[in-house]
Amino acid sequence: LDRYKIKREKAVLVGDTVSDVKAARSNGVDSIGVGYGFGSFDSEPTQPNYYCRTIDDLKALLTDEKV
């Protein structure tokens, strides 16, 4: 982020594991958990800021489109 002069409030980490969410938080950015990868957020105490079940949900979230 620093290298490319991207503000943390403009960045987001997309991931499929709790480790991804923790990495986002430790770097001060929001996270989007996705349900189409290898990980799972079911019954985990660490939850992403947003959750997208499908790639279409992710596209809609990132582009403000309605699904």
Side-chain angles (χ1 to χ4, degrees):
L1 297 175
D2 294 336
R3 180 180 190 182
Y4 294 102
K5 296 178 177 41
I6 298 170
K7 295 180 182 179
R8 288 182 175 1
E9 62 269 10
K10 295 287 187 179
V12 65
L13 187 147
V14 178
D16 65 346
T17 67
V18 171
S19 296
D20 296 327
V21 174
K22 290 179 180 178
R25 287 189 182 156
S26 70
N27 285 285
V29 300
D30 282 348
S31 59
I32 302 173
V34 294
Y36 51 84
F38 293 106
S40 170
F41 296 100
D42 296 337
S43 71
E44 289 289 339
T46 303
Q47 293 293 313
N49 298 95
Y50 306 94
Y51 180 77
C52 295
R53 190 176 53 80
T54 68
I55 192 78
D56 289 332
D57 294 341
L58 178 62
K59 178 184 175 196
L61 178 65
L62 295 174
T63 62
D64 290 328
E65 290 180 11
K66 301 293 181 207
V67 178

